[in-house]
Amino acid sequence: MKLFIIILLLLLSVSIFAQDGSNIKYVTPENINNTLIGKTCHIDFGSESFRTLIVDTLEIEVKGQKIEFVEHRVDNGFDNWFDQQYLVALPLQKAYSVRLKSTKIDSLNSEKVYVTSILGYYRNESPLDTITIIKHYYLRKNIAAVLVEN
């Protein structure tokens, strides 16, 4: 019996100290509330994108033009970092990309989550000195989760 208790305690202590590499808190759609206003986040829309098995696209209006974005998620279930999650504009290009890197929740109601987002421009994976700030919204019914930096 003593051996069983010792083994149990060892197993519990190992699991207590084991951590994944995630710095992301996932907020489910039903828990989106005013406590998120002013927070920087990523919106996981459409289907849940766990381990990048499902990738969704979304159109966002930027300076009067609708641009289609695709999710870029780095999430293997253990090591997923907030700053590696973003949306990238289609069509995908090797040398140049437009990324929606940062979103802040401004307000919300029963149907929509209003946000301010920052678009960054990249050449060969290096950020350029230009950004575009846009205000837009997500329909709550299309949100799978809100990712907040932990």
Side-chain angles (χ1 to χ4, degrees):
M1 183 66 170
K2 286 182 185 181
L3 181 60
F4 174 75
I5 293 173
I6 290 171
I7 291 172
L8 182 64
L9 288 174
L10 285 173
L11 289 174
L12 286 175
S13 66
V14 169
S15 67
I16 289 170
F17 293 112
Q19 292 184 354
D20 65 9
S22 177
N23 67 344
I24 299 173
K25 175 183 171 187
Y26 293 84
V27 179
T28 59
E30 57 272 3
N31 290 322
I32 297 171
N33 59 40
N34 289 337
T35 64
L36 295 175
I37 293 175
K39 300 228 182 211
T40 300
C41 65
H42 299 297
I43 307 292
D44 189 4
F45 54 91
S47 304
E48 288 193 42
S49 299
F50 180 69
R51 295 185 184 191
T52 65
L53 296 176
I54 300 171
V55 177
D56 293 305
T57 60
L58 172 75
E59 278 190 351
I60 298 174
E61 189 170 314
V62 179
K63 294 183 176 181
Q65 284 187 322
K66 290 198 180 222
I67 298 177
E68 191 171 21
F69 288 85
V70 63
E71 292 180 316
H72 175 270
R73 299 282 188 245
V74 179
D75 185 351
N76 63 11
F78 299 103
D79 297 313
N80 48 334
W81 302 102
F82 187 80
D83 63 345
Q84 293 177 352
Q85 319 299 318
Y86 54 87
L87 302 178
V88 61
L90 294 175
L92 297 175
Q93 301 174 9
K94 288 184 180 184
Y96 181 78
S97 65
V98 177
R99 299 176 187 173
L100 193 152
K101 290 285 291 180
S102 176
T103 297
K104 184 182 79 171
I105 296 178
D106 297 324
S107 64
L108 44 92
N109 63 31
S110 61
E111 294 179 12
K112 298 176 183 175
V113 176
Y114 296 90
V115 298
T116 299
S117 297
I118 297 176
L119 295 178
Y121 302 88
Y122 293 77
R123 180 172 288 127
N124 297 320
E125 296 299 314
S126 296
L128 302 176
D129 288 336
T130 304
I131 63 167
T132 301
I133 298 172
I134 60 171
K135 291 191 173 283
H136 59 110
Y137 64 86
Y138 293 95
L139 293 174
R140 279 182 179 257
K141 69 181 182 179
N142 294 334
I143 296 174
V146 174
L147 288 63
V148 181
E149 190 168 14
N150 219 1

